[in-house]
Amino acid sequence: AQNIKQRQAEGIKLAKEKGVVFGRPKIKLPNNFESVVRQFNNKEINLEKALYKTKMTKSSFYKYINTID
C-alpha cells in the first residue's frame, strides 16, 4: 500500500511538472454577468430573470456573485 501511494505521488508530481490541470474545469462567466448581478442587487430583476439572462444554475450564480464588486 505504501508503494502504491509513493508511485501515485511521483506520477502526480510528474504530471504537474508537465502542466496537467487537475480538478473540475472552471466555468467561463458570461459577458453580461456583471451587469446582470448589478441589476439583481439593485432589485431591478428577480433571480429567475437573472438566471435566464446568464444561462446559469442557481448554485453557480450565487457562487460567482461574490466575485463581482
Side-chain angles (χ1 to χ4, degrees), residues 1-2 12 16 21 27 34 36 40 44 46 48 52-54 65 68:
Q2 183 64 27
I12 290 170
K16 285 192 175 187
V21 180
I27 68 163
E34 288 187 36
V36 171
F40 176 72
E44 296 169 19
N46 63 12
E48 277 186 29
Y52 179 77
K53 285 184 171 188
T54 56
I65 200 168
I68 305 301

Side-chain angles (χ1 to χ4, degrees), residues 32-50:
N32 65 345
F33 186 71
E34 288 187 36
S35 65
V36 171
V37 168
R38 252 184 257 110
Q39 290 175 335
F40 176 72
N41 287 338
N42 294 335
K43 297 187 168 82
E44 296 169 19
I45 59 174
N46 63 12
L47 178 62
E48 277 186 29
K49 279 193 178 152

Side-chain angles (χ1 to χ4, degrees), residues 7-24:
R7 285 179 48 210
Q8 184 179 24
E10 290 169 3
I12 290 170
K13 183 181 173 189
L14 284 172
K16 285 192 175 187
E17 286 173 4
K18 287 182 181 178
V20 175
V21 180
F22 288 83
R24 185 179 175 96

